[in-house]
Amino acid sequence: MRLQYVFAAVLLVAGCSSAQPGLGPEINVPAQLSTIQDAVDVAQEGATIVVSPGVYEESVQVKTKGLTIRGASRGSVIIDGETERANGIVVAAPDVSVQNLTVRNHTSDGVLISGQRGFRVSYVTASNNARFGVHADNAQNGVIEQSYASGSADSGFSVSQCLPCDVVVRGNVAERNAVGYQGTNASGRMFVLGNRFSGNRVGMTSAAERQEDVTLVGNLVSDNDEALSPAQADGAFGLGMSLLTSTKNLVSRNLITGNPGVGLALSPGPRDDLQRSNVIVGNGQDVRYDADTPRKKVRAPRGIPFNQVAAPPLQPEMPTDPLPDRAPDVEKYALPNEDLFDDRAAVPA
């Protein structure tokens, strides 16, 4: 009788094993496994999961170090929350990369990096997510690059609660969000470089109890008065860039224009931020300290639900060439023109 039990157990194990296809360092979805989560669950450290075009109605939890999740076609590989699931991809392991896909219709975040190091988000389209498009929270040593965010009721791109951050946010487009980019208690080697934050309700904000060593260079922050966007709880509207409770930061070679409220809002009091070579023109009030009066007020329209914001325009595919080095390379970012990334934007600057 005991031999029968042993034989049955061997058959059971063999059956389970044969149900899994031969998986190597690259796993193809759905050719080998039907869902992204199935592939993530069995992938070994350092594996690449290549996802074919399709709509994937799932929330992906990544808990294995060093995985890469790469879409075969940025606009056609879609992780759809159907306004039912909270997050599209949650990165809960170090050294994870998310590349060349779309995350949409989530009740919280499109991509959430939670408490991890070494992350990289490249060529991702995050649209119609209720809180953030791409959110790095308590995460360090990462890059968010060449991505697009719209329809976020908090902000398109967000970095929060890191010291030091060692995070680079570069070459992104944010439009039709409550806020394009938001840095909250994000200090120490924090770089926001060469982005287009135009056509939101607020362009970009950076604030902390004591914020230091933040570099904001080469960004276009313009025309942030988009009515067809979700409204944030505090109702801010028409503001270009806000830099509050901060010292020892570099704000340089940014073009801040066409914002009907304030172009650049700063905290009052002594400052030792380095501001140089910015062009701040054509705003309701170009520069304002919080204590200044009178304050330029702009009537804020009501806003629309996050899931009613227009679909994003077609975005470029990730090139086959290797991605650039993670280093910020600040000096290469010049003062932008108003047409920065206009081929990737729906809202004209």
Side-chain angles (χ1 to χ4, degrees):
M1 183 68 69
R2 183 176 179 183
L3 287 175
Q4 290 179 337
Y5 288 142
V6 171
F7 182 64
V10 169
L11 285 177
L12 180 60
V13 171
C16 291
S17 177
S18 63
Q20 291 287 352
L23 300 176
E26 181 174 294
I27 303 173
N28 291 278
V29 177
Q32 292 177 286
L33 292 170
S34 60
T35 71
I36 303 170
Q37 187 65 62
D38 286 345
V40 167
D41 288 344
V42 301
Q44 299 298 306
E45 180 178 335
T48 296
I49 297 166
V50 179
V51 187
S52 293
V55 177
Y56 297 85
E57 297 169 351
E58 55 181 309
S59 179
V60 180
Q61 309 286 320
V62 184
K63 299 180 181 179
T64 301
K65 179 181 179 181
L67 294 191
T68 295
I69 301 175
R70 179 185 303 143
S73 173
R74 180 174 176 178
S76 300
V77 175
I78 301 167
I79 300 176
D80 195 334
E82 303 178 287
T83 64
E84 295 177 358
R85 288 174 288 279
N87 302 298
I89 299 177
V90 178
V91 175
D95 303 321
V96 170
S97 294
V98 180
Q99 304 172 345
N100 207 52
L101 49 74
T102 295
V103 285
R104 72 183 186 193
N105 298 332
H106 297 91
T107 59
S108 189
D109 304 345
V111 178
L112 170 62
I113 302 99
S114 180
Q116 301 303 320
R117 297 178 60 86
F119 66 89
R120 192 161 194 166
V121 178
S122 310
Y123 293 86
V124 166
T125 299
S127 66
N128 307 93
N129 299 292
R131 292 183 65 231
F132 302 104
V134 179
H135 182 199
D137 181 52
N138 191 27
Q140 297 173 298
N141 190 26
V143 179
I144 302 170
E145 62 191 348
Q146 303 300 327
S147 293
Y148 174 95
S150 65
S152 305
D154 205 315
S155 65
F157 300 98
S158 172
V159 179
S160 62
Q161 311 303 329
C162 50
L163 178 65
C165 294
D166 286 307
V167 171
V168 180
V169 178
R170 63 188 178 194
N172 302 290
V173 174
E175 61 180 1
R176 293 175 172 159
N177 302 285
V179 181
Y181 165 81
Q182 180 175 276
T184 306
N185 294 322
S187 294
R189 299 188 294 278
M190 178 71 231
F191 300 90
V192 184
L193 308 171
N195 302 281
R196 178 188 177 108
F197 301 136
S198 301
N200 304 281
R201 300 176 84 83
V202 173
M204 62 180 299
T205 66
S206 189
E209 293 179 4
R210 181 174 177 81
Q211 178 173 261
E212 295 183 349
D213 194 11
V214 175
T215 299
L216 311 175
V217 171
N219 300 288
L220 172 63
V221 185
S222 69
D223 304 284
N224 287 291
D225 58 351
E226 176 58 42
L228 298 178
S229 58
Q232 204 175 37
D234 62 8
F237 187 80
L239 170 62
M241 179 187 294
S242 174
L243 187 63
L244 303 178
T245 57
S246 63
T247 61
K248 299 182 177 69
N249 302 298
L250 174 62
V251 183
S252 180
R253 303 190 297 280
N254 299 288
L255 175 56
I256 305 173
T257 185
N259 302 288
V262 176
L264 175 61
L266 300 166
S267 295
R271 308 184 61 86
D272 52 4
D273 290 327
L274 181 57
Q275 299 173 45
R276 65 186 186 194
S277 304
N278 297 292
V279 174
I280 308 174
V281 295
N283 303 284
Q285 182 178 347
D286 286 332
V287 180
R288 179 180 66 81
Y289 289 88
D290 263 5
D292 287 353
T293 54
R295 178 177 179 177
K296 177 70 176 179
K297 293 184 178 180
V298 178
R299 182 178 178 84
R302 182 183 298 272
I304 62 176
F306 76 94
N307 59 345
Q308 293 181 17
V309 173
L314 187 66
Q315 297 296 308
E317 295 290 313
M318 188 177 75
T320 56
D321 297 335
L323 292 171
D325 189 89
R326 290 170 177 261
D329 196 8
V330 173
E331 293 308 314
K332 84 171 188 179
Y333 292 93
L335 179 74
N337 297 318
E338 285 192 67
D339 62 359
L340 178 69
F341 300 144
D342 62 354
D343 58 331
R344 295 163 51 187
V347 181

